[in-house]
Amino acid sequence: MRIDVVSLFPEFVAQCAAFGVVGRAVERGLLSIHGTNPRDHAEGNYRRVDDRPFGGGPGMVMLIDPLRRAIEAARSAAEGPVRVVYMSPQGRRLDQETVRRLAAEPRLILLCGRYEGIDERLTRAEVDEEISIGDYVLSGGELAAAVVIDAIARLQDGALNDAESAVQDSFEDGLLDCPHFTRPVEHELGAVPEILLSGDHAKIARWRRMQSLGRTAERRPDLLKGRELSKADAALLRQYREASMSTPETVADATEPAAAGPETG
Ligand code: 9D3
């Protein structure tokens, strides 16, 4: 897959793709990432890429033509159809389903805005889809593009090693991860749950599933809404809730419903 990033800071995105799983996917030739700078397609001594918004107000808007030429350069840099995605606070929120859909494209152009954004006429003419990565304010689309690239790279065939793929598969089911422990067994911060030391793999798998279900129900109930649990999962979730009723920390929480857990801040 080929991804072209149209950005005033193309090196920024390239750097994000230089390490770890994404870097490995690039080295293995599963993915190539290219930057195109609209500044290189701007005119005049000043190479302007932005101007003041019609109607007044603060901030600047990116000019149509340098961006349009940059998109055109990226489009014709390789063969084949390209989906143009504008990283934008007005976009649909990114989720794993969208990542899977984009990962299946042969080519993408990720358009990154700066300032207040791009001229709406360019969006209408060139953009197939607008994507946001969440409800918080960034300074531009570059970090959002890096997020999309990272998530896409992981889904390219051969990008993950066997262990990474197994973990990916087991959590493509829309639940939060179970807790993890490593050495030492005994530590001043506590002991490792005994069941994980039992060697009973079926029992361990059930315990992990129970933890995943329980933590999802507690921390992200939205992920379980409108989802029918299997009889086995429903039983595990009941078991998790019964167990947590009898642990001291949870009893304390139950007496203070306003107290947020450490991760829900
Ligand atoms: C403070 C500026 N805001 C005026 C009301 C609007 C605004 C313009 C440009 C807010 C953010 C940005 C830059 N953000 C992105 O380009 C962006 C983004 C984001 O801010 N949050 C989540 N996903 C994305 S994708 C691109």
Side-chain angles (χ1 to χ4, degrees):
M1 175 177 196
R2 175 181 170 123
I3 301 179
D4 288 89
V5 181
V6 172
S7 160
L8 290 173
F9 308 106
E11 317 78 11
F12 179 91
V13 180
Q15 271 302 308
C16 292
F19 311 99
V21 173
V22 185
R24 208 165 63 204
V26 171
E27 275 170 23
R28 290 180 179 172
L30 309 173
L31 181 69
S32 70
I33 301 164
H34 306 263
T36 305
N37 193 336
R39 184 90 56 194
D40 297 336
H41 299 270
E43 291 178 322
N45 282 340
Y46 297 97
R47 307 223 154 245
R48 283 193 80 135
V49 294
D50 63 327
D51 209 333
R52 294 156 64 201
F54 281 120
M60 301 291 269
V61 176
M62 291 183 81
L63 290 165
I64 294 177
D65 284 321
L67 270 175
R68 191 166 180 228
R69 286 191 286 264
I71 293 168
E72 204 38 57
R75 233 188 246 289
S76 55
E79 302 265 278
V82 191
R83 192 161 181 83
V84 179
V85 176
Y86 174 32
M87 304 313 305
S88 147
Q90 282 72 50
R92 258 203 36 198
R93 174 111 54 88
L94 184 68
D95 58 17
Q96 192 64 15
E97 185 187 332
T98 305
V99 172
R100 278 195 292 269
R101 176 168 56 75
L102 295 177
E105 295 281 340
R107 294 192 57 193
L108 286 180
I109 293 177
L110 301 182
L111 185 56
C112 302
R114 282 271 149 178
Y115 321 115
E116 291 310 301
I118 72 181
D119 190 300
E120 188 68 20
R121 292 167 293 182
L122 185 70
T123 312
R124 288 181 187 150
E126 300 278 3
V127 171
D128 296 310
E129 174 170 5
E130 290 183 56
I131 293 180
S132 159
I133 61 164
D135 297 338
Y136 36 79
V137 180
L138 301 173
S139 307
E142 286 77 9
L143 268 174
V147 166
V148 168
I149 291 170
D150 187 293
I152 284 177
R154 301 174 56 77
L155 296 186
Q156 300 301 303
D157 269 339
L160 302 182
N161 62 37
D162 288 348
E164 290 164 343
S165 299
V167 172
Q168 174 112 353
D169 290 347
S170 61
F171 290 97
E172 283 266 319
D173 65 2
L175 296 179
L176 301 186
D177 207 348
C178 62
H180 302 288
F181 300 87
T182 187
R183 294 191 302 170
V185 170
E186 300 283 351
H187 188 279
E188 67 175 282
L189 296 185
V192 172
E194 219 160 305
I195 200 162
L196 297 177
L197 311 173
S198 69
D200 185 337
H201 297 296
K203 222 167 148 188
I204 291 170
R206 266 198 311 278
W207 180 85
R208 287 181 166 158
R209 183 79 185 171
M210 177 178 72
Q211 292 293 319
S212 282
L213 289 160
R215 280 152 54 118
T216 306
E218 280 175 355
R219 303 178 187 197
R220 293 292 306 278
D222 57 299
L223 295 178
L224 295 179
K225 276 239 172 72
R227 170 175 170 156
E228 189 84 60
L229 292 185
S230 69
K231 271 201 162 143
D233 280 350
L236 285 173
L237 182 53
R238 257 195 320 274
Q239 197 185 332
Y240 179 94
R241 287 180 162 139
E242 279 158 19
S244 71
M245 287 295 276
S246 60
T247 61
E249 309 99 279
T250 325
V251 171
D253 285 351
T255 60
E256 288 177 81
E263 246 87 288
T264 51

